[in-house]
């Protein structure tokens, strides 16, 4: 994981630039405004982001600390909080700037009502669910998968984001969660050839993510048989979700899945981060899996609060909401 601390004067310059942006006519104009602000970032940071975006040999994640967020942050939302949950737009500008440097920021119609910048905070009603609104339940290692009832036969990884961005807004010391990231190459290096071969064959089923299945009857179907591992040996790609559900369809596959899970959970293999306010963690969703520990939540306006943005290298040829809302994938 590449880690960098943004100098204070750069963060202040970015804050002022974001605060003085004129109101955009649409999302693309806002992204153009934000890209024009990128010259404020140090060349070394820009170079690392471009390398991270393009190279199959780049780090599996980047942690940028000291980024600007809103000074007047309201209480952390709770169950049933109306949208928008805050009035300021500094943190949205921050996370969308990094997103635009990595590719195309996208949303999913069935995930948080198609919001491009998603607010992630614990809710009392879902504290024990396998979702980003949980707190009492930990989320096992997973890659971000997607599900659409209008394309229920589409493999869950086909429309997945290439990058997942998490920005800390409020991170109280007594309510911190640990986000762990494991590189697919390191995990695979712990497995033998037979186990790797099993992971490359369609002997597994993935369950539709909890957060994508709240509409309709709320059912969470299992996928058709799929492989969990793809790509070349020196730059492998994982697609699995131990948080929402993955099951093996043979004894050989079960042994490989258990070996993969053990490798991901090995503290010598994964890297752990406890996000603070102003920290942005960008994860390569193809080459890394991530997890989140349980944490304390009191639902009193002071709980952990992140923002999340999904990024794809290209939107085409996926189905979109409409020509006007082409960043919302269906």
């Amino acid at each position: 994981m590449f880690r960098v601390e943004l100098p204070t004067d750069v963060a202040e310059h970015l804050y002022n630039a974001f605060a003085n942006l004129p109101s955009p006519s649409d999302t693309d104009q806002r992204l153009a405004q934000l890209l024009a602000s990128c010259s404020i970032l140090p060349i070394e940071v820009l170079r690392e982001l471009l390398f991270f975006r393009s190279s199959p040999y780049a780090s599996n994640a980047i942690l940028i600390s000291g980024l600007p967020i809103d000074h007047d942050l309201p209480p952390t939302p709770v169950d049933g909080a109306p949208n928008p949950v805050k009035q300021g737009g500094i943190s949205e500008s921050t996370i969308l700037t990094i997103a635009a440097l990595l590719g195309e920021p996208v949303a999913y119609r069935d995930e948080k009502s198609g919001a491009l910048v998603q607010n992630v905070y614990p809710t009392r009603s879902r504290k024990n669910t396998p979702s980003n609104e949980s707190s009492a339940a930990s989320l096992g290692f997973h890659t971000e998968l997607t599900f659409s009832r209008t394309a229920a036969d589409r493999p869950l990884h086909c429309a997945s984001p290439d990058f997942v961005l998490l920005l800390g807004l409020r991170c109280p010391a007594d309510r911190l969660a640990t986000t762990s990231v494991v590189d697919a190459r390191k995990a695979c290096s712990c497995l033998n050839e037979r186990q790797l071969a099993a992971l490359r064959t369609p002997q597994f089923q993935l369950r539709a993510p909890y957060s994508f299945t709240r509409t309709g009857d709320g059912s969470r179907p299992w996928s058709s048989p799929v492989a969990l591992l793809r790509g070349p040996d020196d730059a492998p790609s994982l697609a699995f979700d131990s948080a929402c559900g993955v099951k093996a369809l043979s004894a050989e596959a079960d042994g490989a899945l258990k070996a993969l899970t053990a490798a991901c959970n090995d503290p010598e293999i994964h890297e752990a981060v406890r996000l603070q306010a102003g920290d942005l963690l960008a994860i390569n969703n193809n080459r890394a899996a991530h997890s989140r520990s349980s944490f304390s939540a009191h639902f009193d306006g002071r709980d952990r609060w992140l923002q999340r943005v999904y990024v794809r290298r290209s939107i085409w040829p996926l189905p979109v909401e409409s020509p006007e809302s082409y960043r919302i994938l269906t």
Side-chain angles (χ1 to χ4, degrees):
M1 182 183 300
F2 178 83
R3 304 177 187 231
V4 61
E5 174 85 26
L6 207 65
T8 301
D9 61 328
V10 174
E12 291 176 351
H13 196 176
L14 272 176
Y15 184 100
N16 292 330
F18 294 156
N20 292 315
L21 287 176
S23 298
S25 60
D26 55 29
T27 299
D28 283 347
Q29 184 177 8
R30 173 47 53 90
L31 293 175
Q33 292 170 340
L34 296 176
L35 284 172
S37 304
C38 289
S39 60
I40 299 172
L41 291 169
I43 290 295
E44 294 79 11
V45 174
L46 289 170
R47 181 186 182 280
E48 190 63 33
L49 285 168
L50 295 177
F51 183 67
F52 179 65
R53 179 184 74 184
S54 304
S55 174
Y57 305 105
S59 174
N60 61 77
I62 291 181
L63 178 65
I64 307 175
S65 300
L67 286 163
I69 60 173
D70 305 81
H71 295 328
D72 53 345
L73 199 64
T76 302
V78 294
D79 288 24
N83 287 316
V85 295
K86 72 182 187 68
Q87 298 302 314
I90 301 300
S91 62
E92 286 84 354
S93 294
T94 291
I95 194 169
L96 284 174
T97 296
I98 304 302
L101 286 168
L102 294 177
E104 301 294 343
V106 297
Y108 295 89
R109 183 177 60 192
D110 295 322
E111 173 67 21
K112 295 191 180 295
S113 302
L116 193 63
V117 178
Q118 304 167 20
N119 289 286
V120 177
Y121 51 86
T123 63
R124 192 186 304 273
S125 61
R126 296 188 173 94
K127 64 180 182 179
N128 292 304
T129 61
S131 79
N132 59 74
E133 294 179 27
S134 67
S135 53
S138 60
L139 299 178
F141 277 98
H142 61 282
T143 57
E144 296 289 330
L145 302 173
T146 65
F147 173 76
S148 171
R149 294 199 185 278
T150 61
D153 294 333
R154 182 175 66 196
L156 301 187
H157 71 276
C158 287
S160 293
D162 293 305
F163 302 100
V164 181
L165 276 58
L166 300 171
L167 174 64
L169 301 190
R170 175 175 286 124
C171 305
D174 61 336
R175 308 181 193 185
L176 292 179
T178 299
T179 301
S180 298
V181 182
V182 62
D183 191 298
R185 291 167 294 194
K186 288 186 177 181
C188 288
S189 70
C190 299
L191 278 59
N192 61 42
E193 290 186 6
R194 187 171 181 175
Q195 291 164 340
L196 291 172
L199 291 174
R200 289 183 178 277
T201 60
Q203 300 185 74
F204 307 88
Q205 286 182 291
L206 298 167
R207 199 172 187 189
Y210 177 87
S211 57
F212 280 78
T213 53
R214 295 178 186 173
T215 58
D217 60 7
S219 63
R220 296 176 54 218
W222 290 90
S223 72
S224 299
V226 295
L228 304 187
L229 181 65
R230 306 178 309 280
D233 293 339
D234 60 348
S237 176
L238 285 171
F240 77 107
D241 191 341
S242 59
C244 287
V246 55
K247 62 183 178 180
L249 301 179
S250 71
E252 182 183 45
D254 185 61
L257 179 58
K258 288 178 179 176
L260 174 63
T261 302
C264 290
N265 287 327
D266 186 344
E268 296 295 322
I269 300 298
H270 66 243
E271 295 183 80
V273 175
R274 306 192 85 182
L275 290 175
Q276 306 288 335
D279 285 355
L280 186 147
L281 178 65
I283 303 168
N284 186 316
N285 193 50
N286 294 306
R287 294 196 299 100
H290 63 283
S291 68
R292 193 219 65 207
S293 69
S294 60
F295 63 97
S296 176
H298 299 274
F299 315 106
D300 58 359
R302 298 296 304 168
D303 284 327
R304 181 180 187 256
W305 182 3
L306 309 180
Q307 286 184 324
R308 178 176 67 184
V309 169
Y310 291 137
V311 180
R312 282 186 59 88
R313 290 187 173 90
S314 175
I315 295 173
W316 186 88
L318 297 175
V320 300
E321 182 78 19
S322 69
E324 294 75 26
S325 302
Y326 71 90
R327 293 187 183 276
I328 301 178
L329 307 182
T330 61

